[in-house]
Amino acid sequence: MPTTILRKVKITPIDAPLGAIVTGLDASQPIAPEVILQLKQTLRDRHILIFKDQQLADEQFWSCVKRWTRTPGSWRFLFYVA
């Protein structure tokens, strides 16, 4: 799978059956709908997204999680912030 670049967001599959690294995304800010769509498609295909270089306060982290999930507790399967 090739690297996908949306605006400044870069999604790079890792050299393994699962996972992709997301860079250039500031998760503390609103995310454009087309970026969210691509991230959700990549999550569906690769099952793990690693968001690099994030500095989030607790409130910012939970706000970001709420953009992705509707089921309480499902966030732990979606988020690893490195």
Side-chain angles (χ1 to χ4, degrees):
M1 175 185 270
T3 297
T4 303
I5 300 175
L6 297 167
R7 298 179 188 202
K8 293 181 180 182
V9 178
K10 182 176 175 184
I11 303 171
T12 306
I14 61 175
D15 189 23
L18 301 175
I21 296 174
V22 180
T23 55
L25 178 83
D26 183 353
S28 68
Q29 300 299 314
I31 302 170
E34 65 271 14
V35 174
I36 290 176
L37 178 62
Q38 185 62 49
L39 290 170
K40 285 183 175 184
Q41 289 172 341
T42 303
L43 181 62
R44 182 196 65 219
D45 296 342
R46 305 293 295 181
H47 304 285
I48 299 168
L49 296 179
I50 301 167
F51 294 85
K52 299 292 276 186
D53 304 319
Q54 300 297 309
Q55 301 294 324
L56 302 174
D58 289 346
E59 301 85 29
Q60 292 170 318
F61 174 79
W62 288 114
S63 177
C64 184
V65 167
K66 288 176 187 175
R67 288 184 213 141
W68 287 85
T69 64
R70 295 174 196 255
T71 306
S74 63
W75 65 270
R76 62 181 165 245
F77 300 109
L78 297 176
F79 285 90
Y80 176 73
V81 180

